[in-house]
């Protein structure tokens, strides 16, 4: 059975959960399952795999989400994903954007459960890592009772290891992807009913979950909880995941220490040609509710985009929080416990 250790995950989010975001999130939680942005099978098969699939070992456990609808292509892409060292491959059956619909990817596949099952079966026959599915409760005027059951039953029969359900319908026409994350009403009870009907199947829930109190409440009904925008905009939430949801002893992760540990990674990325803003855009919301947080965001937003900006910008922003200055660059490089953060396969 899919591992209970995956009871909390950070959702795959286009343009957000890139490798820099994932490294940062991992410094806040050792246990959460992290996901890549969705990557299409065509990109995996024919694109720049280092750019698309490359990751730092610190990010694991790590799942790769694939978008596609051709079973053979998905099987080939899943094998590549496994060869790159990912811990799981996930099939996107939930993205509502016009761009992916035109490629027969995402939420439109809710209308083709047999095809989704064929895709899952092809991947399962090819890889040894878990194959999972992330879907909606339905699309458009589809009855969510019938629509979700048909997809769930199909992928379970095909051997899926877990099913993550975003507890909203997706509207394929008339709503933008952003509106599809807010406008269709949430129906958590529908996901709970699915779990009661399929008690032997690992089922996780996603959609509109704002904090760990809500996550704990959901875990009374389903096997896993996935946070998306809440974890991204207020990543400090993640600092308490290991203690609250996994029962680890001790205090939540220290946010200042997480930033300090991130600095060698950032220096390594800058040396490879990245801009500081490529990383700092993911840490803007870290100090929600902390005095000086507005200045923190302002400094990072205005200074990190400048050519040649380095980690001194982050130190300057941290001083606005009233904390002690961080170690010097030389001292940071001497910290052996963070050296691994700069490594890549």
């Amino acid at each position: 059975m899919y591992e209970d250790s995956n009871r909390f995950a950070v959702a795959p989010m286009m343009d957000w959960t890139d490798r820099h975001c994932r490294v940062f999130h991992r410094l806040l939680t050792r246990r959460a399952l992290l996901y890549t942005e969705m990557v299409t099978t065509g990109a995996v098969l024919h694109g720049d795999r280092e750019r698309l699939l490359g990751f730092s070992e610190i990010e694991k456990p790590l799942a790769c989400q694939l978008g596609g609808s051709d079973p053979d292509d998905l099987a080939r892409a899943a094998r590549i994903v496994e060869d790159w060292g990912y811990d799981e491959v996930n099939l996107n059956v939930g993205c509502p954007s016009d761009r992916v619909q035109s490629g027969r990817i995402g939420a439109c596949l809710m209308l083709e459960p047999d095809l989704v099952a064929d895709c899952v079966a092809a991947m399962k026959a090819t890889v040894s890592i878990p194959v999972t599915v992330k879907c909606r409760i339905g699309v458009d005027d589809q009855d969510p009772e019938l629509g979700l059951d048909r997809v769930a039953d199909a992928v379970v029969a095909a051997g899926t290891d877990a099913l993550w359900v975003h507890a909203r319908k997706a509207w394929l026409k008339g709503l933008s992807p952003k509106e599809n994350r807010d406008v269709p009403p949430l129906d958590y009870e529908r996901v709970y009913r699915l779990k009661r009907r399929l008690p032997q199947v690992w089922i996780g829930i996603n959609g509109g979950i704002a904090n760990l109190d809500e996550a704990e409440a959901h875990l009374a009904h389903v096997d896993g909880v996935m946070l998306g925008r809440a974890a991204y905009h207020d990543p400090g939430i993640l600092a308490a995941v290991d203690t609250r949801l996994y029962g680890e002893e001790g205090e939540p992760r220290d946010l200042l220490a997480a930033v300090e540990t991130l600095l060698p990674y950032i220096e390594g990325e800058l040396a490879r040609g990245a801009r500081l803003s490529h990383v700092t855009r993911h840490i803007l919301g870290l100090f929600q509710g902390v005095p000086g947080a507005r200045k923190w965001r302002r400094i990072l937003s205005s200074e990190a985009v400048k050519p040649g900006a380095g980690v001194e910008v982050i130190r300057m922003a941290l001083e606005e929080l009233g904390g002690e200055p961080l170690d010097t660059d030389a001292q940071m490089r001497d910290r052996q416990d963070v050296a691994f953060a700069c490594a890549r396969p």
Side-chain angles (χ1 to χ4, degrees), residues 8 209-217 227 237-238 240-241 244-245:
F8 182 88
I209 302 168
N211 51 55
L212 297 190
D213 288 339
E214 293 181 14
E216 287 180 323
L227 265 66
I237 289 173
L238 301 177
V241 164
R244 288 192 58 178
L245 301 186

Side-chain angles (χ1 to χ4, degrees), residues 40-42 44-46 49 66-81 91 104 115-127:
T40 65
T41 53
V44 172
L45 296 177
H46 308 295
R49 291 176 188 166
L66 292 177
S69 57
D70 181 278
D72 291 337
D73 286 350
L74 279 164
R76 292 166 58 203
R79 172 60 63 83
I80 292 168
V81 166
L91 177 62
R104 208 179 179 192
L115 175 59
V116 176
D118 289 343
C119 293
V120 170
M123 290 190 287
K124 285 290 294 182
T126 305
V127 300

Side-chain angles (χ1 to χ4, degrees), residues 160-216:
T160 191
D161 292 283
L163 180 63
W164 289 99
V165 184
H166 186 150
R168 303 181 197 268
K169 275 189 173 184
W171 288 93
L172 303 180
K173 295 181 180 179
L175 292 180
S176 69
K178 182 179 184 299
E179 290 169 327
N180 262 294
R181 294 191 292 269
D182 293 300
V183 175
L186 287 160
D187 189 355
Y188 297 133
E189 288 292 335
R190 177 64 191 94
V191 186
Y192 299 166
R193 289 195 297 276
L194 179 67
K195 176 60 186 178
R196 289 196 295 268
R197 190 176 71 83
L198 300 174
Q200 78 284 5
V201 178
W202 199 101
I203 293 174
I205 198 166
N206 170 233
I209 302 168
N211 51 55
L212 297 190
D213 288 339
E214 293 181 14
E216 287 180 323

Side-chain angles (χ1 to χ4, degrees), residues 123-139:
M123 290 190 287
K124 285 290 294 182
T126 305
V127 300
S128 59
I129 58 176
V131 174
T132 65
V133 173
K134 186 171 186 289
C135 69
R136 294 277 185 138
I137 61 173
V139 295

Side-chain angles (χ1 to χ4, degrees), residues 80-333:
I80 292 168
V81 166
E82 181 177 45
D83 290 345
W84 270 77
Y86 282 86
D87 300 295
E88 173 188 320
V89 59
N90 176 270
L91 177 62
N92 185 320
V93 188
C95 182
S97 79
D98 293 338
R99 183 176 64 180
V100 298
Q101 285 181 56
S102 64
R104 208 179 179 192
I105 297 171
C108 61
L109 293 174
M110 292 291 298
L111 300 171
E112 300 185 76
D114 291 341
L115 175 59
V116 176
D118 289 343
C119 293
V120 170
M123 290 190 287
K124 285 290 294 182
T126 305
V127 300
S128 59
I129 58 176
V131 174
T132 65
V133 173
K134 186 171 186 289
C135 69
R136 294 277 185 138
I137 61 173
V139 295
D140 297 337
D141 294 322
Q142 188 179 41
D143 181 347
E145 295 299 324
L146 297 177
L148 180 57
D149 278 353
R150 286 170 178 165
V151 169
D153 290 346
V155 300
V156 168
T160 191
D161 292 283
L163 180 63
W164 289 99
V165 184
H166 186 150
R168 303 181 197 268
K169 275 189 173 184
W171 288 93
L172 303 180
K173 295 181 180 179
L175 292 180
S176 69
K178 182 179 184 299
E179 290 169 327
N180 262 294
R181 294 191 292 269
D182 293 300
V183 175
L186 287 160
D187 189 355
Y188 297 133
E189 288 292 335
R190 177 64 191 94
V191 186
Y192 299 166
R193 289 195 297 276
L194 179 67
K195 176 60 186 178
R196 289 196 295 268
R197 190 176 71 83
L198 300 174
Q200 78 284 5
V201 178
W202 199 101
I203 293 174
I205 198 166
N206 170 233
I209 302 168
N211 51 55
L212 297 190
D213 288 339
E214 293 181 14
E216 287 180 323
H218 286 300
L219 287 171
H221 304 278
V222 292
D223 301 297
V225 174
M226 178 181 281
L227 265 66
R229 286 171 293 164
Y232 188 85
H233 291 305
D234 186 7
I237 289 173
L238 301 177
V241 164
D242 296 353
T243 54
R244 288 192 58 178
L245 301 186
Y246 290 93
E248 291 193 356
E249 296 183 358
E251 297 296 321
R253 298 294 176 92
D254 181 86
L255 302 186
L256 287 171
V259 175
E260 182 179 347
T261 307
L262 185 64
L263 294 185
Y265 171 83
I266 294 175
E267 289 179 325
E269 291 302 301
L270 294 177
R272 295 184 183 94
R275 294 176 66 97
L276 182 63
S277 58
H278 293 169
V279 182
T280 56
R281 70 189 184 98
H282 301 303
I283 67 176
L284 290 175
L286 180 59
F287 295 103
Q288 296 280 357
V290 175
R294 181 175 298 179
K295 290 182 178 180
W296 157 268
R297 293 191 296 269
R298 177 179 56 77
I299 292 172
L300 292 186
S301 298
S302 62
E303 299 297 322
V305 297
K306 294 180 178 179
V311 295
E312 70 280 352
V313 170
I314 300 175
R315 293 197 178 96
M316 179 171 59
L318 280 167
E319 290 177 0
E320 297 296 336
L321 298 169
E324 293 297 320
L326 295 183
D327 293 339
T328 65
D329 290 338
Q331 287 171 322
M332 291 299 295
R333 283 192 290 270

Side-chain angles (χ1 to χ4, degrees), residues 19 22-23 54-60 62 265 269 340-345:
R19 62 174 71 180
R22 298 190 305 261
V23 166
F55 63 89
S56 302
E57 283 298 313
I58 187 179
E59 298 171 42
K60 293 167 72 72
L62 181 62
Y265 171 83
E269 291 302 301
F340 69 94
C342 298
R344 281 197 189 161

